[in-house]
Amino acid sequence: MMLTVNADLHCHSNVSDGTLSPEEVAARAHRNGVELWSLTDHDEIGGQSRAREAAHQLGMNYLSGSEISVTFAGETVHIVGLGFDATDTELAQGLAATRGGREQRARNMAADLERVGVHGAFEGALKYVGNPDLISRTHFARYMVEIGLCKELSDVFKRYLTEGKPGYVRHQWAKLGDAVRWITEAGGVAVIAHPGRYDLTPNEEFALFTEFKALGGLGVEVVTGSHTVPEYQKYADLACELDLLASRGSDFHDPRESHTDLGTLPALPKRVTPVWEALAHRIQRP
Ligand code: AMP
Ligand code: MN
Ligand code: MN
Ligand code: MN
């Protein structure tokens, strides 16, 4: 029964790098049949009360959410927090510190891009930014598609914005232990986002999961728009093996850019325990 709830616990609004407002994301989720929703903007909780109110207006259950950028073993890893108290001050301060370096990083990215002939990228990216505190690579990519450098966002990432490419700037995000602690001490559950997407060796991946668990992390995304079907199985097995709760989320950003729409993913495999079972007491009902 609980497994078949249409839960979408990972998506973005224009409070981070999505293009729709929290209200528009809520309406789209509801239209697509989502019954339990969480807006998980990058390093931000500024959209939480709007998202919750919009969800409740539509009769949809809500869990607070955010996707925190973390540096682990030199790689960027994302940790989704769900069901925390969105008024918690330590969480708010931690997220503010995590976002804090984004503007300088963006200026450095623009300077790098300038050197390979991409002019005015900082100002160009800013045109797409909904929240001045949260300028991301996605905003640069939108601008670079606009000026015709690439046809699609993914091409911009491949050619410019990833490790070893001319617009990539290394960045130190939050520590894994801090992110897990901010979420957990605010009453929420920490979840490893889209593990299939990281460039980790099997040993590093094992270290990520074991450290995450030792730090109090409880969940892993199994069915996500960022995983292939074989990865659903791989991470369902890992969730069972490591006794982690399983999450499900589209990682929706925009109607045209995102290949997975809100609420359209398959159900979690039957052998896992859904994260929302452990969060029943944190669900905000209309
Ligand atoms: P940032 O937090 O500024 O490093 O930006 C990370 C965001 O870039 C992710 O959350 C995705 O939305 C987006 N992104 C990363 N890689 C790709 C890709 N290959 N194609 C499209 N978007 C991507
Ligand atoms: Mn994103
Ligand atoms: Mn992510
Ligand atoms: Mn995401």
Side-chain angles (χ1 to χ4, degrees):
M1 164 65 189
M2 277 297 266
L3 261 176
T4 62
V5 169
N6 191 342
D8 195 322
L9 306 181
H10 187 151
C11 62
H12 301 273
S13 74
N14 59 9
V15 174
S16 64
D17 62 347
T19 57
L20 305 182
S21 66
E23 291 82 2
E24 288 167 330
V25 183
R28 191 175 182 98
H30 182 251
R31 214 182 316 129
N32 288 356
V34 172
E35 297 161 293
L36 174 62
W37 177 53
S38 181
L39 177 70
T40 56
D41 278 311
H42 296 285
D43 308 326
E44 256 294 5
I45 48 174
Q48 290 303 302
S49 52
R50 287 169 64 192
R52 187 191 61 239
E53 278 160 30
H56 288 174
Q57 293 260 320
L58 295 158
M60 201 161 49
N61 289 332
Y62 191 73
L63 276 171
S64 59
S66 184
E67 180 176 21
I68 307 182
S69 311
V70 160
T71 302
F72 177 84
E75 288 288 326
T76 299
V77 164
H78 288 168
I79 301 295
V80 164
L82 296 171
F84 48 76
D85 169 5
T87 67
D88 186 271
T89 47
E90 285 202 38
L91 173 66
Q93 282 166 9
L95 293 176
T98 306
R99 311 189 274 278
R102 279 183 178 270
E103 182 178 335
Q104 191 54 51
R105 169 194 188 231
R107 292 191 186 280
N108 295 343
M109 283 171 61
D112 271 13
L113 288 167
E114 199 76 49
R115 275 178 225 124
V116 294
V118 183
H119 305 297
F122 183 79
E123 294 71 22
L126 268 190
K127 292 194 296 176
Y128 292 90
V129 167
N131 169 7
D133 277 357
L134 211 116
I135 177 161
S136 92
R137 285 185 292 162
T138 315
H139 302 112
F140 279 83
R142 291 193 180 117
Y143 171 66
M144 289 159 79
V145 168
E146 175 201 312
I147 62 174
L149 276 175
C150 294
K151 270 224 177 78
E152 293 198 41
L153 290 199
S154 58
D155 299 328
V156 184
F157 279 89
K158 257 181 244 150
R159 281 176 51 194
Y160 294 97
L161 303 182
T162 42
E163 183 111 47
K165 301 296 157 62
Y168 184 76
V169 171
R170 282 202 142 274
H171 194 73
Q172 198 64 36
W173 300 107
K175 291 192 178 80
L176 181 64
D178 288 338
V180 172
R181 185 170 45 80
W182 298 330
I183 295 163
T184 308
E185 289 185 358
V189 165
V191 174
I192 298 177
H194 44 62
R197 230 173 70 185
Y198 308 128
D199 205 11
L200 299 171
T201 64
N203 278 341
E204 286 167 343
E205 185 180 68
F206 182 74
L208 170 65
F209 275 82
T210 46
E211 277 193 42
F212 173 75
K213 270 207 75 162
L215 291 162
L218 294 177
V220 58
E221 284 186 348
V222 169
V223 173
T224 132
S226 304
H227 280 174
T228 61
V229 173
E231 284 170 339
Y232 299 164
Q233 303 309 321
K234 173 182 171 181
Y235 291 104
D237 288 343
L238 201 57
C240 293
E241 209 175 294
L242 298 180
D243 206 15
L244 287 167
L245 301 161
S247 192
R248 173 180 187 261
S250 57
D251 210 353
F252 176 85
H253 286 71
D254 171 80
R256 275 160 306 154
E257 292 166 8
S258 300
H259 56 83
T260 305
D261 206 340
L262 290 150
T264 62
L265 284 167
L268 288 170
K270 287 197 173 62
R271 60 191 181 282
V272 303
T273 306
V275 67
W276 51 92
E277 273 187 17
L279 284 167
H281 62 298
R282 308 293 306 179
I283 295 176
Q284 297 172 293
R285 299 171 201 278

